[in-house]
Amino acid sequence: MTRPDASGPARDGSARAAVDAAFRSDWGQIVATLIRVTGDWDLAEEATQDAFAQAIARWPVDGVPRKPGAWLTATARNRAIDRLRRDKVGAAKLQELAREPHQEESAEPPDLLRLMFTCCHPALALDAQVALTLRTLAGLSVPEIARAFLVSEAALAKRLVRAKSKIQHAGIPYRVPPAHLLPERTPAVLAVLYLLFSEGYAATAGDELVRRPLLAEAIRLARLLCALMPDEPEASGLLALMLLTDSRSSARIADGVVVPLEEQDRSRWDAVAIAEGVGILDAALRRGRPGPYQVQAAIAACHATAATAADTDWRQIATLYGTLRELNPSAVVALNQAVAVGMAYGPAAGLALVDRISGLTGYPLLSATRADLLRRLGRRSEAADAYREAISRATTEPERRYLAGRLAEVS
Amino acid sequence: MKYVLLICADEAVGAEHAQDGCGGWDTEMAARGVLYGGAGLRPPADATTIRVRDGETLLTDGPFAETREQMGGFCLIDCADLDEAIEIASKHPAATYGSIEVRPLIP
């Protein structure tokens, strides 16, 4: 198991790197396994944490084990057994732990998938689902999650305690739901992963515009979900959407300001991520069961595969937004459709759609879009009014500056 | 696991459905072996609330809390887990016009 030949300070660094890599790849798996065998979420997390602490202490001395994940799982399991031995009510659970190796050979669904569905159980509030997913599946610490979602550590800790207590006391089953519940439960899992991604991609508040760790975790968990649910095209659609959107990350911000899609330096887009996203999306679409994530990924693919902004296939995008509206009717989707139609068939066609949107009064992008279409139609005074309204509703300084520039053009 | 289903509805709506019964739901659940009893309740106007403070019994006419949603009945069920409890509750006709709160019992 150990590498007795490893020696010197370099070994310390590589052992540390191995612990970090194992943390990223194995944390959720180990917690998931221990929850299944002990039924105790806190014990599972603590034992897993102990195992990583031991790895940090031992790997630099003993060397990195050949199978770090197996070493960590065994160590975590032993820690759990130690803790249960000290505890009288643990006796029954101990027997289960002893039986455990036989269960691994059965055709049970993977522990990680159970953990994902349980964390995203619809009887838990959405914020609890998110917090629990990040803590239990991704191994993020309470301060890290609290920072990511701008809540106090105390509030977040309370949210986690409440969620775990409800899982235990309300009888939320630790399992992948049966087939008849899957269609209604899978969207919750996808929604939580997409929320993590969106929060990482365009932080709703705070100093940083992009939160890399959240983005990376969301993509990693989506990859995992695709591997666990290969027959679910919407899981693939979501992963493709994330990859295609994230491919623009490095071109999206310049000097701390968001660069609009059409002005981005496309040579800085991640070609590997785009190719992978398009490939995953194509495979998903071939299953013939389209859904909102696949359609959104298809729209992202239209943008990502256009060599220049002028090459963008706006007709295709307008059609896709029409499909998305059928699947998922919302005023924001209608607005995006109007923008695409305005690009594909001219500003008058776009404006006709914008003027039919209801329920978005006060939404900053509505007046900005109207203003832009009116400007392109040469209706300068109406455009100026719309720009003024958009400026009064804009939420960030860069947006306000951009709109003020446009206003100066038309007045 | 044991749960109580608290069947709640807006008082006026609840009164409208007071004589509906539960459309075979109780028969089905009893046959499934998950129903351990329950009852419909007279309206909150017929309720009396009792508190004992410092040895003194205080009576209030009406329900403990004046809310629009009032409990109109309850059922005790025993089933595998929350998913089954949700499935059972969602089949109750009152779920279509009121709401059903699923509360686990203290074991």
Side-chain angles (χ1 to χ4, degrees):
Chain A
M1 277 293 271
T2 56
R3 292 191 315 185
D5 55 332
S7 62
R11 191 189 54 170
D12 281 13
S14 65
R16 184 64 219 213
V19 174
D20 288 346
F23 188 84
R24 278 193 301 278
S25 65
D26 296 325
W27 168 277
Q29 176 66 58
I30 300 167
V31 171
T33 305
L34 284 172
I35 291 175
R36 171 167 52 78
V37 295
T38 67
D40 184 330
W41 288 55
D42 289 327
L43 177 67
E45 268 181 53
E46 282 162 25
T48 307
Q49 223 151 21
D50 284 351
F52 277 96
Q54 283 205 35
I56 289 170
R58 297 254 312 267
W59 293 5
V61 183
D62 299 347
V64 177
R66 207 169 301 128
K67 288 183 178 170
W71 187 97
L72 285 159
T73 309
T75 307
R77 184 191 304 222
N78 290 336
R79 297 297 292 187
I81 290 173
D82 285 349
R83 278 167 189 252
L84 287 172
R85 271 203 190 109
R86 278 183 256 139
D87 180 5
K88 275 183 193 153
V89 295
K93 288 177 185 169
L94 263 175
Q95 288 181 350
E96 281 178 57
L97 273 171
R99 277 202 308 271
E100 169 58 7
H102 305 289
Q103 292 190 1
E104 274 169 7
E105 291 148 26
S106 71
E108 292 282 304
D111 290 333
L112 269 171
L113 196 56
R114 291 179 207 237
L115 186 54
M116 228 178 248
F117 273 94
T118 308
C119 287
C120 299
H121 195 281
L124 299 170
L126 182 62
D127 57 6
Q129 296 178 19
V130 170
L132 211 54
T133 300
L134 283 174
R135 175 74 200 118
T136 340
L137 271 157
L140 262 61
S141 69
V142 169
E144 281 171 323
I145 305 168
R147 248 198 326 276
F149 285 93
L150 300 162
V151 293
S152 74
E153 282 179 35
L156 186 87
K158 208 168 138 193
R159 195 182 288 175
L160 284 166
V161 167
R162 247 198 100 206
K164 282 188 250 178
S165 165
K166 180 160 181 187
I167 288 171
Q168 191 190 337
H169 294 118
I172 290 179
Y174 184 57
R175 64 164 186 202
V176 177
H180 71 278
L181 286 177
L182 268 180
E184 61 182 77
R185 296 280 170 90
T186 305
V189 174
L190 298 174
V192 164
L193 296 187
Y194 192 44
L195 188 68
L196 298 183
F197 179 82
S198 304
E199 189 58 33
Y201 191 71
T204 44
D207 302 330
E208 295 160 78
L209 284 160
V210 177
R211 295 185 181 143
R212 266 280 131 210
L214 274 187
L215 274 185
E217 269 318 313
I219 292 175
R220 191 176 71 79
L221 292 173
R223 275 188 201 285
L224 197 62
L225 187 67
C226 286
L228 298 170
M229 299 185 84
D231 296 328
E232 177 49 66
E234 277 291 88
S236 305
L238 177 62
L239 176 59
L241 174 60
M242 287 180 178
L243 290 169
L244 291 165
T245 309
D246 186 45
S247 70
R248 302 197 289 260
S249 283
S250 55
R252 208 174 127 252
I253 313 269
D255 306 322
V257 178
V258 177
V259 182
L261 185 59
E262 62 273 15
E263 290 166 26
Q264 288 176 13
D265 174 1
R266 291 178 186 229
S267 68
R268 293 179 63 194
W269 289 1
D270 181 345
V272 175
I274 292 171
E276 192 194 354
V278 169
I280 291 170
L281 175 63
D282 285 347
L285 289 171
R286 275 199 296 276
R287 291 178 171 269
R289 283 185 285 144
Y293 292 111
Q294 291 169 78
V295 176
Q296 289 177 81
I299 293 168
C302 284
H303 288 298
T305 53
T308 66
D311 291 334
T312 308
D313 186 350
W314 285 107
R315 289 180 179 227
Q316 173 75 2
I317 293 173
T319 308
L320 288 166
Y321 271 118
T323 310
L324 187 58
R325 252 182 101 177
E326 280 165 31
L327 291 166
N328 189 6
S330 93
V332 173
V333 174
L335 181 61
N336 284 320
Q337 185 193 19
V339 172
V341 167
M343 295 301 285
Y345 303 102
L351 189 63
L353 283 184
V354 168
D355 286 338
R356 258 188 273 151
I357 297 172
S358 57
L360 271 187
T361 319
Y363 186 65
L365 288 179
L366 179 69
S367 27
T369 304
R370 272 197 81 232
D372 193 55
L373 292 166
L374 287 165
R375 178 183 59 82
R376 285 165 53 204
L377 281 168
R379 288 157 65 175
R380 295 165 68 100
S381 73
E382 288 166 90
D385 287 344
Y387 278 121
R388 277 186 209 101
E389 193 185 327
I391 290 168
S392 74
R393 299 193 192 284
T395 49
T396 67
E397 204 43 51
E399 278 176 84
R400 225 167 274 138
R401 272 200 297 274
Y402 172 82
L403 292 165
R406 287 292 199 194
L407 175 60
E409 270 177 52
V410 293
S411 22
Chain B
M1 275 196 66
K2 289 195 176 72
Y3 300 88
V4 166
L5 308 185
L6 304 174
I7 295 155
C8 306
D10 190 290
E11 220 184 304
V13 180
E16 214 177 286
H17 292 275
Q19 302 306 320
D20 288 4
C22 46
W25 178 88
D26 52 343
T27 324
E28 184 193 335
M29 294 311 155
R32 247 167 80 169
V34 294
L35 186 61
Y36 281 73
L41 302 180
R42 295 279 313 156
D46 295 344
T48 306
T49 302
I50 294 134
R51 296 175 182 81
V52 178
R53 298 286 182 273
D54 301 322
E56 196 183 343
T57 304
L58 307 165
L59 299 185
T60 316
D61 177 29
F64 170 70
E66 290 282 352
T67 53
R68 267 161 54 89
E69 287 255 304
Q70 291 289 350
M71 206 208 295
F74 67 93
C75 305
L76 176 63
I77 61 169
D78 191 353
C79 60
D81 52 39
L82 185 63
D83 282 349
E84 192 181 0
I86 291 168
E87 183 255 323
I88 290 168
S90 63
K91 284 189 169 163
H92 195 286
T96 59
Y97 58 84
S99 60
I100 298 182
E101 185 175 321
V102 178
R103 289 277 285 273
L105 265 63
I106 294 172

